[in-house]
């Protein structure tokens, strides 16, 4: 019996070490350009470094014991236990450069619409994988997003505290995050995006659309399509658009309380 226990403890220790090594390698791939800024100007160097680490990462993953599938939890709304998700504290807006001199003139006079409520992402229009490639998402990040169906049926946005110049957006995918959005057209810092990069932009109303720019470049738009559908248009540097389609959840729908913490 003691020998069996020793074997089990040893196997558990080996699995823990392999899992830690896998996580370290994955983070190394994601943060390599930050540690070595010269790789940003030399994409071929980053590609070589990534190609050297990926086989080792895959080997370690193959040695880990397979995990049993988790049962869906009624509290998580579709099997996603948001209580175990990495929680990012509410991000308050931090003014940076004031009003951007390169900000294009508004396309229309502000006509704010009511975006408040709980919204669930029900579909995607366009090629989300191509969008992530154009935004510089790493291969492993793209593969994980694809395995999660890019958040369709999982991503929820809860919008509240809306006024003409303010908005609170709470999101649960790819991690739990809350952003206090200021809508006065001034450039601000809003933490980091899912790719680990700085969220720096300015937001304002243009007609009935909520629009965000960075350095004069269009980043995203939010708008209503009817009363119960919200569109979140995402743009890459070339102006190519991909759209997340959200449906309004009725009060009391399972999963709407999952974002409160």
């Amino acid at each position: 019996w003691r020998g069996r226990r020793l074997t089990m403890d040893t196997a558990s220790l080996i699995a823990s070490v392999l899992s830690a090594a896998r996580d370290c390698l994955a983070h190394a791939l994601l943060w390599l350009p930050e540690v070595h800024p010269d790789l940003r100007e030399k994409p071929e160097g980053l590609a070589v470094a990534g190609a050297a680490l990926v086989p080792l990462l895959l080997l370690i993953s193959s040695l880990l014991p397979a995990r049993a599938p988790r049962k869906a939890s009624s509290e998580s709304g579709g099997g996603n236990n948001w209580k175990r998700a990495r929680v990012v504290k509410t991000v308050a807006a931090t003014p940076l450069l004031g009003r951007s001199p390169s900000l294009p003139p508004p396309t229309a006079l502000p006509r704010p619409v009511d975006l408040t409520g709980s919204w669930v992402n029900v579909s995607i229009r366009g090629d989300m994988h191509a969008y992530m490639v154009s935004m510089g998402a790493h291969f492993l990040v793209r593969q994980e997003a694809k395995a999660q169906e890019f958040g369709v049926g999982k991503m929820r946005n809860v919008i509240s505290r809306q006024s003409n110049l303010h908005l609170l957006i709470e999101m649960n995918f790819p991690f739990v995050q809350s952003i206090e959005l200021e809508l006065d057209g001034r450039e601000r810092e809003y933490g980091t995006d899912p790719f680990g990069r700085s969220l720096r932009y300015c937001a304002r109303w243009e007609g009935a659309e909520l629009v965000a720019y960075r350095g004069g470049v269009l980043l995203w738009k939010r708008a209503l399509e009817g009363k119960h559908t919200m569109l979140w248009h995402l743009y890459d540097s070339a102006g190519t658009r991909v759209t997340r389609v959200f449906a309004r959840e009725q009060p009391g729908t399972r999963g709407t309380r999952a974002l409160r913490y």
Side-chain angles (χ1 to χ4, degrees):
W1 180 83
R2 290 182 179 177
R4 186 191 313 175
R5 181 178 180 181
L6 178 61
T7 302
M8 293 177 62
D9 291 344
T10 303
S12 177
L13 176 61
I14 293 175
S16 299
V17 171
L18 288 175
S19 179
R22 179 194 60 184
D23 294 341
C24 289
L25 283 174
H27 282 83
L29 285 172
L30 294 176
W31 293 104
L32 200 56
E34 301 297 331
V35 178
H36 298 284
D38 57 317
L39 291 178
R40 298 175 183 173
E41 287 74 28
K42 299 179 179 179
E44 63 278 4
L46 180 59
V48 171
L53 290 177
V54 167
L56 184 57
L57 181 61
L58 295 177
L59 175 61
I60 293 176
S61 299
S62 66
L63 295 176
L64 288 173
R67 295 183 179 179
R70 295 180 179 178
K71 295 182 179 180
S73 170
S74 59
E75 186 177 350
S76 63
N80 296 290
N81 195 341
W82 302 117
K83 288 186 176 180
R84 298 184 180 181
R86 180 167 65 91
V87 176
V88 179
K89 294 182 179 180
T90 300
V91 179
T94 303
L96 291 173
L97 304 177
R99 193 172 301 276
S100 174
S102 58
L103 191 65
T107 58
L109 294 177
R111 290 189 297 106
V113 295
D114 186 10
L115 299 178
T116 58
S118 178
W119 305 85
V120 60
N121 186 196
V122 295
S123 65
I124 292 176
R125 300 174 185 173
D127 191 340
M128 179 60 74
H129 183 269
Y131 169 78
M132 294 183 68
V133 171
S134 66
M135 296 299 289
H138 193 274
F139 169 78
L140 295 178
V141 177
R142 301 198 306 269
Q143 290 299 103
E144 178 63 22
K146 184 178 180 180
Q148 296 289 329
E149 297 180 341
F150 300 107
V152 174
K154 301 176 179 64
M155 173 180 280
R156 283 184 172 84
N157 285 185
V158 176
I159 300 178
S160 60
R161 303 181 192 174
Q162 179 177 344
S163 66
N164 288 345
L165 296 176
H166 183 83
L167 200 67
L168 173 63
I169 302 179
E170 298 171 276
M171 294 175 281
N172 68 345
F173 185 90
F175 49 80
V176 178
Q177 187 177 32
S178 180
I179 298 178
E180 299 272 2
L181 197 60
E182 302 296 336
L183 312 178
D184 56 1
R186 295 184 181 275
E187 189 171 354
R188 285 175 165 83
E189 182 85 37
Y190 292 102
T192 57
D193 65 10
F195 308 136
R197 298 171 306 183
S198 173
L199 272 178
R200 178 181 299 182
Y201 55 82
C202 53
R204 68 185 182 191
W205 287 101
E206 293 185 0
E209 295 180 325
L210 182 59
V211 185
Y213 294 91
R214 179 169 55 202
V217 178
L218 181 61
L219 291 181
W220 54 258
K221 293 182 179 180
R222 286 181 182 264
L224 291 180
E225 187 178 70
K227 294 183 179 180
H228 303 291
T229 302
M230 179 178 68
L231 305 179
W232 188 12
H233 305 296
L234 305 170
Y235 298 84
D236 62 13
S237 58
T240 305
R241 184 177 76 180
V242 61
T243 302
R244 288 189 179 272
V245 181
F246 290 82
R248 187 188 297 273
E249 291 187 312
Q250 299 301 320
T253 302
R254 183 178 63 181
T256 56
R257 297 188 303 170
L259 300 182
R260 299 182 181 180
Y261 50 88

